[in-house]
Amino acid sequence: MTTTATPAHPRPTTHALFPAAWSPTAWWLLGGSVALLVLHLWLGLRMRGPLVFPDEAGLLGHPGWFLGDDPLLQMGATSYYSFGYSLFLVPAFAVLSDPDHLYTAAMVVNALLLTAVFPMLYLILRRILGVAPYPALLGAAAGAVYPAVTFAGNHAWTEPAAIPVFCALVLTAWLMLTADARWQRMLFGPCAALAYAIHPRFTGVVAVVLVLVGVAWWSGRIRRHTAVTNTALLVAGFMAVRLVNSALFDARWAGGNDVIENSPEQLARTLGDPGEWRELAAMAVGQGWYLVVATLGLFVLGVVVLARRTRPLIARTKAEWRQAPSSSLVAGFVLVAALAMFVASIVFMTVNRHRVDHLVYGRYNEAFLPVFLACGTAVLATRRRPRRLLVSVGSTIVTIAVLALALRLLRDPALFDGTANWPTITGIFWQVTEWPFDSFGYFVPHATVVALVGVGALGLVAWKLPRVAAGAAVIIFLLGGVYAYREMLPAEADIWYEGWSFPDQVENLDVDAVAFDASTGCAFCFWRDQWFLPDVDFETFDSDIGEAPSEDLVIAPLDWTRAEALDARLVIPDGRNAQGLWVLPGSTADELEDQGRLLPAGFPAALPPTAMRSEIDASPETLELEPGGSAEVDVEVTHAGDGGPWVDFDSYGLPGLVRLHTRVLDDTGTEISDTPAEIPELTLPGDRFDLMIPVSAVDAAGQPLPPGEYTIEISLSQEGFARFADAGDDGLTVPLRVT
């Protein structure tokens, strides 16, 4: 009689991840996912455009290369950014063209990607680690609302892809080992290749993936075909990523830095240099401190949970090792992959150290952090013996204290001081409630104390109410992420984009190409201007070293030192960024002058009299107020002259800008008060704008006007030069009766 050997690890007859029917917790999972999607959309759609340069410019420019666009957004001499995240944007870029709509689409893509973190973490806890449903929900929620995850969706950078793809790596590792469907067992290698395409910090993870595939085949957990296919797909993907990166660099990074951060070459060179070992140790301590403090010690619990799950792999015989559950192998993969990314992070910060936050850098490690945070929170939500809970809390407190002390001893103040870059350490922002946030001597001890108190408080609550403690951690992380967003991003977006019309003004000229002066001192302007002017070809030159512009239209500083020598005229000033669009002598300049688009030579200078002509209408045509009363008048103003535009405050400022003045005159024509108002934008001949201007029946000292007949005179003036009335412009008068 023949017998068939039973495999050591038989494949399940049901799907390895998803349940056959909906359970009560599935509705919580669906509701939480919808709530997270709404949260990410609410935060992300508030953003008006890129804020993080050059990162966002690099990644937003990649889809154009894949779609064959011309011109491409050029990056110049800056570090290269890999294209993996940009792949998720390609569909939107294929159907949309307006930069505002494209950035909105990027925020929607971010929201979808980051929302997926919640169900993926739940599946990791339930299907791989066997956590009970409600602790798994709480753990997944903590990882999905951790401040850096919430914050990540508000920029077009690698984080919205890196975080869910690490979760996907864990799930596809599990599928490779346990799934019944062949195609599911082949997802691990391609997922690892995608991770490498997203960011080179996954370089070490690629090696870990190959080791796991080899070990799984050696131990009989997967067939040779599965191992070979995953390996082949990963190697092919890895090589394809390097080829595409090389092509993108050649197309968009003329004169840039072709040394890709966290490349295998860079990792090997830095780790092999004994002169860097002290700084590597300092970086390891600092970044470890950040991971523990930012998670209120739950990262430590997560490490312990995963490490315990790997204990069956420590077997005395090969046969015993091969009998270890697949979940142990996946847990070991998570630990080693996270370690590889941690090493990549400390290496890169060692190579590029120049800011105080580099010593405690969190951004790169926060791709794997949600998995550990979910595990730690799930353990917190599970009732444990008081003695074990006390040991966990005590060991976490000691870990935080030791890391903080070591960090203080190892820090070199000459290297790590000065300004911190907040997006890289978002996890501790809520713990630092006062400024100066940039001071290492302030934010490290402050965050340490907050974390110590938080660990103690969570442990105390968990003693009797473990799920309440886990729920409190979820709420703390959620509020911390929203707080970081509210404090940092809306105001920053308003500063950059509220009332900024420079790209629209340039676009109205129907420009094909401009020369961009690299000496502007505004590096981000080069990338941002290109983003908002996608159909304009930018050619760079540097006037500081004597290079000449290759185009008639030039973007250069407002105080461009070569303007007089080149007889250049200012067309569109961009005072907010101290730059402007200039035109050199020639047919283009003649055409623009005929259209009344050129500012006076040597601006700021007086407008020609022909440009000081206006047509003003107001509603109501008469006004009646009580003494001290006020009202608003709707004013419509038309540039009725020629010979030059009117400059607004955002475009240039003082002197030279044009303002609308509302003067109150008594019955003898004596001026009682004068209230200026800013015009909304650069106004060309023939353009029209509306303003609501306040009128009050008070004098210059704010005292109520006595009853009587007055006149409201509405007119324009060029500040620092002349009133339009001096050039014969009548403006508008509105009768005012004070009763």
Side-chain angles (χ1 to χ4, degrees):
M1 184 177 75
T2 59
T3 59
T4 303
T6 302
H9 303 278
R11 300 196 182 283
T13 57
T14 58
H15 198 290
L17 285 180
F18 298 100
W22 284 91
S23 64
T25 53
W27 292 106
W28 283 102
L29 192 65
L30 177 61
S33 298
V34 172
L36 274 174
L37 179 61
V38 171
L39 173 66
H40 285 299
L41 289 174
W42 175 58
L43 299 178
L45 295 181
R46 173 68 176 79
M47 305 307 295
R48 304 184 180 198
L51 293 178
V52 180
F53 290 104
D55 306 47
E56 291 192 81
L59 294 166
L60 288 169
H62 286 329
W65 182 84
F66 285 106
L67 296 170
D69 290 351
D70 186 31
L72 294 173
L73 195 158
Q74 295 298 314
M75 295 300 296
T78 185
S79 296
Y80 176 76
Y81 296 90
S82 194
F83 65 89
Y85 165 75
S86 305
L87 294 176
F88 296 97
L89 305 181
V90 170
F93 278 63
V95 297
L96 300 173
S97 58
D98 181 82
D100 292 326
H101 296 160
L102 287 171
Y103 201 76
T104 298
M107 297 302 100
V108 173
V109 169
N110 289 355
L112 293 170
L113 288 170
L114 292 171
T115 297
V117 172
F118 178 51
M120 285 197 288
L121 289 175
Y122 177 80
L123 291 171
I124 290 170
L125 294 172
R126 286 285 293 136
R127 301 296 170 187
I128 302 177
L129 301 179
V131 177
Y134 288 105
L137 281 171
L138 289 168
V145 301
Y146 171 70
V149 179
T150 302
F151 190 86
N154 306 303
H155 301 296
W157 54 359
T158 57
E159 270 47 54
I163 296 169
V165 166
F166 185 85
C167 296
L169 268 174
V170 180
L171 292 173
T172 54
W174 172 254
L175 285 172
M176 181 187 70
L177 297 171
T178 64
D180 192 40
R182 175 176 294 185
W183 68 269
Q184 294 174 6
R185 300 198 301 271
M186 308 305 174
L187 296 175
F188 191 38
C191 188
L194 175 61
Y196 177 67
I198 289 171
H199 198 280
R201 79 186 84 158
F202 286 96
T203 298
V205 177
V206 170
V208 178
V209 168
L210 291 173
V211 170
L212 177 60
V213 171
V215 169
W217 171 71
W218 169 78
S219 62
R221 299 167 194 273
I222 62 174
R223 296 187 178 96
R224 180 182 299 174
H225 176 267
T226 301
V228 171
T229 303
N230 274 289
T231 300
L233 290 173
L234 173 53
V235 172
F238 183 86
M239 298 306 298
V241 169
R242 293 180 72 90
L243 289 173
V244 172
N245 277 334
S246 178
L248 281 165
F249 178 83
D250 291 340
R252 300 185 53 218
W253 266 263
N257 177 12
D258 61 353
V259 178
I260 299 178
E261 59 187 47
N262 298 145
S263 64
E265 297 82 3
Q266 187 186 73
L267 290 170
R269 184 169 57 252
T270 305
L271 292 173
D273 183 0
E276 297 285 9
W277 289 352
R278 185 183 184 279
E279 294 305 328
L280 287 168
M283 292 288 181
V285 169
Q287 294 185 30
W289 170 88
Y290 175 86
L291 293 174
V292 179
V293 167
T295 60
L296 299 179
L298 294 173
F299 173 74
V300 176
L301 278 181
V303 172
V304 172
V305 169
L306 291 167
R308 284 178 176 170
R309 187 53 63 97
T310 64
R311 282 187 298 186
L313 299 178
I314 308 173
R316 295 182 179 180
T317 66
K318 179 179 178 180
E320 291 175 342
W321 194 94
R322 296 175 68 173
Q323 290 293 331
S326 295
S327 60
S328 297
L329 207 56
V330 175
F333 166 73
V334 173
L335 288 169
V336 179
L339 178 61
M341 294 179 69
F342 184 78
V343 170
S345 179
I346 65 175
V347 167
F348 181 66
M349 291 307 117
T350 299
V351 172
N352 294 276
R353 56 186 182 265
H354 63 273
R355 292 194 316 256
V356 63
D357 57 282
H358 285 165
L359 185 58
V360 295
Y361 202 81
R363 178 179 161 192
Y364 284 2
N365 297 320
E366 282 162 337
F368 65 74
L369 183 58
V371 174
F372 289 83
L373 181 55
C375 293
T377 306
V379 170
L380 185 68
T382 305
R383 186 172 296 279
R384 308 168 72 197
R385 291 193 297 271
R387 185 169 179 270
R388 178 172 290 184
L389 178 63
L390 182 62
V391 170
S392 297
V393 172
S395 60
T396 302
I397 288 175
V398 170
T399 299
I400 294 174
V402 169
L403 287 173
L405 178 61
L407 180 59
R408 190 171 187 86
L409 294 175
L410 288 171
R411 179 180 76 106
D412 183 350
L415 293 175
F416 302 108
D417 205 357
T419 301
N421 187 25
W422 38 261
T424 70
I425 47 177
T426 314
I428 63 171
F429 187 85
W430 67 272
Q431 300 173 350
V432 185
T433 57
E434 299 177 9
W435 303 98
F437 180 68
D438 295 336
S439 169
F440 179 94
Y442 173 80
F443 77 76
V444 169
H446 197 282
T448 298
V449 170
V450 171
L452 291 172
V453 172
V455 170
L458 289 178
L460 186 63
V461 175
W463 184 22
K464 295 292 185 181
L465 303 167
R467 291 188 183 179
V468 172
V474 172
I475 293 172
I476 288 171
F477 294 136
L478 173 62
L479 295 179
V482 174
Y483 172 74
Y485 166 86
R486 184 179 65 86
E487 290 295 309
M488 293 190 277
L489 291 185
E492 188 82 2
D494 288 342
I495 291 172
W496 279 43
Y497 293 114
E498 180 70 32
W500 185 58
S501 60
F502 180 70
D504 294 332
Q505 298 284 353
V506 175
E507 192 173 32
N508 289 339
L509 295 178
D510 196 22
V511 177
D512 293 324
V514 298
F516 188 95
D517 190 351
S519 69
T520 58
C522 178
F524 68 82
C525 293
F526 174 61
W527 302 306
R528 189 177 64 172
D529 291 350
Q530 289 185 82
W531 167 248
F532 283 103
L533 295 167
D535 297 324
V536 178
D537 191 6
F538 279 65
E539 299 290 339
T540 59
F541 73 102
D542 191 339
S543 61
D544 282 349
I545 59 175
E547 293 180 347
S550 58
E551 302 290 339
D552 290 341
L553 291 169
V554 182
I555 295 179
L558 285 177
D559 58 352
W560 194 23
T561 56
R562 297 192 62 191
E564 184 176 357
L566 295 173
D567 198 21
R569 295 277 295 277
L570 187 59
V571 185
I572 303 171
D574 179 15
R576 183 172 301 186
N577 299 298
Q579 65 172 0
L581 182 70
W582 298 78
V583 64
L584 303 180
S587 59
T588 303
D590 295 340
E591 182 180 348
L592 292 174
E593 187 162 30
D594 291 342
Q595 297 171 2
R597 291 179 176 269
L598 298 188
L599 288 165
F603 192 84
L607 290 169
T610 57
M612 303 173 78
R613 297 285 185 271
S614 67
E615 292 179 3
I616 304 176
D617 295 314
S619 178
E621 296 181 353
T622 62
L623 198 61
E624 186 171 330
L625 295 173
E626 296 179 352
S630 62
E632 286 190 327
V633 177
D634 186 2
V635 176
E636 181 183 86
V637 182
T638 302
H639 189 326
D642 55 37
W646 301 342
V647 176
D648 64 302
F649 179 80
D650 278 332
S651 294
Y652 193 85
L654 293 170
L657 65 87
V658 172
R659 281 180 173 150
L660 186 71
H661 286 261
T662 305
R663 296 178 174 86
V664 177
L665 311 176
D666 63 17
D667 55 2
T668 67
T670 303
E671 182 181 296
I672 296 174
S673 64
D674 180 0
T675 305
E678 306 294 347
I679 66 175
E681 61 185 3
L682 186 75
T683 306
L684 301 171
D687 285 354
R688 178 179 303 167
F689 61 83
D690 295 314
L691 281 178
M692 295 295 293
I693 59 173
V695 176
S696 301
V698 297
D699 59 19
Q703 298 301 312
L705 293 178
E709 300 293 330
Y710 298 87
T711 300
I712 302 171
E713 181 184 273
I714 303 173
S715 61
L716 293 151
S717 69
Q718 185 188 17
E719 304 298 315
F721 293 96
R723 297 171 55 183
F724 280 27
D726 298 336
D729 188 58
D730 295 331
L732 178 70
T733 58
V734 176
L736 169 64
R737 176 176 296 172
V738 178
T739 59

